[in-house]
Structures are given as C-alpha cells and as structure tokens.
Amino acid sequence: MPSELYRCVYYSKNLIAGGSLRIAEEIESILAAARRNNPPLSVTGALVFNRGLFAQVLEGPCPSVESLFEKILRDERHGDIQVLGFGAARERLFSNWSMAFLGRSREDQDLFGHFGRQTGFNTERIEGDRLLEIVRHLAFEEEARAA
Ligand SMILES: Cc1cc2nc3c(=O)[nH]c(=O)nc-3n(C[C@H](O)[C@H](O)[C@H](O)COP(=O)(O)O)c2cc1C
C-alpha cells in the first residue's frame, strides 16, 4: 500500500558547537528546512530539544519518511542517533504541524531523563512508546497554551 502511514521516533545527541545562541540559530534553520520540505512530502511531526538531546517524531507515507530520515541521519548537527520506533501507524499524532517545536518553555526541566542511557533491544519498543507519550504530552500543552 503506497500511501500507508509510517512513523519514526528517535532521539539523538546535539553536536552543535557553541553556546545557546548558536544552538537556537541552528534549530531555527532546521525548522525552516522542515517548513520548506515536509509539507510537499506530506510529513508531519514534532521536534524537541532538551539538555543536549534532540527527540523527533516523523510521520507520513513510508517512502517520504524513509528518504527524509536518511537525510536527517547524515546531518552533522547531531549524532548517536537511537531509533526507538519505525513502523506503520494508524493515525497522525501531529497532523497540525509540518514540524512542531516543543519544550521551549520547559528548558529548565529534564524531559527525557534516562533516555540517553537506555540500552538493550527488548526495551526499545516500550521506550519508543514512552518517548512518543512525552512528545505528545508537550504538544497538547503547547496547543492548550496557544488556544
Ligand atoms: C534533529 C534534526 C531534525 C531535522 N528535521 C528535519 C525535518 O523534519 N525536515 C527537514 O527538511 N530537515 C530536517 N533537518 C535538517 C536536514 O538534516 C537537512 O539539513 C535539511 O533538510 C536540508 O534542507 P535542504 O535540502 O532544503 O537544503 C533536521 C536536522 C536535525 C539535526
């Protein structure tokens, strides 16, 4: 089924050198690329940056998610990419956003906690669902604030 919906959930380590201003500039440039490239690919999703880690959810048709994620994998602004979930999904969770940027107001909190230290194959699925929950929760909060 060519139009089947896929979802990719991963987290990665920030490799942007410099202070918070430089990081903010690079995140702006990432979000500008997402606003430009994701709508024609029918990709929606969310990006969180917290305490040196990125977490991203990409959802859309399988070929779009695959080709976009391959490009993102090669981006030198992050590394140690841990894919927590990649598979068919029933519905879009972030249908309103080409790429929501979340957690701006929660910078003082450790949103991901143990994810940076997560190991082992068996926990992967559960951890993916958990990360997705965290990102969804942030999105709901953001929406409530905007309303
Ligand atoms: C954590 C992270 C998330 C990114 N997410 C996206 C994205 O959702 N869409 C996108 O087009 N580029 C994203 N990028 C940027 C891409 O790696 C790449 O730089 C960009 O797509 C290039 O855009 P261009 O082909 O229009 O020049 C992301 C980069 C990082 C480090």
Side-chain angles (χ1 to χ4, degrees):
M1 220 195 295
S3 62
E4 199 184 357
L5 184 70
Y6 262 64
R7 183 180 303 120
C8 172
V9 182
Y10 75 88
Y11 72 90
S12 60
K13 208 169 111 187
N14 166 49
L15 295 181
I16 302 165
S20 53
L21 193 65
R22 180 76 212 296
I23 291 170
E25 278 172 9
E26 289 299 336
I27 288 175
E28 263 322 305
S29 119
I30 289 168
L31 294 174
R35 282 194 290 269
R36 189 169 64 236
N37 299 324
N38 297 7
L41 289 169
S42 234
V43 169
T44 51
L47 176 70
V48 185
F49 178 74
N50 182 248
R51 304 259 164 120
L53 291 179
F54 287 108
Q56 190 172 34
V57 181
L58 299 165
E59 50 192 23
C62 185
S64 295
V65 173
E66 264 181 357
S67 63
L68 180 60
F69 186 51
E70 273 167 25
K71 183 157 91 165
I72 293 172
L73 276 176
R74 291 194 297 269
D75 198 308
E76 292 179 353
R77 289 173 287 195
H78 64 166
D80 291 347
I81 293 153
Q82 305 282 324
V83 179
L84 298 179
F86 197 113
R90 260 200 304 274
E91 54 179 357
R92 286 182 194 263
L93 299 176
F94 304 97
S95 53
N96 297 337
W97 296 280
S98 57
M99 190 50 60
F101 184 63
L102 306 169
R104 215 187 286 268
S105 55
R106 306 277 293 269
E107 272 155 27
D108 54 327
Q109 292 173 33
D110 189 359
L111 298 175
F112 307 135
H114 65 289
F115 275 104
R117 296 188 296 277
Q118 181 246 343
T119 54
F121 179 74
N122 284 337
T123 56
E124 218 168 63
R125 180 59 206 270
I126 296 164
E127 297 285 55
D129 288 348
R130 173 90 188 100
L131 183 60
L132 197 56
E133 257 325 297
I134 294 171
V135 178
R136 267 188 90 176
H137 183 74
L138 289 171
F140 281 130
E141 280 190 348
E142 202 78 8
E143 249 183 348
R145 194 172 297 124

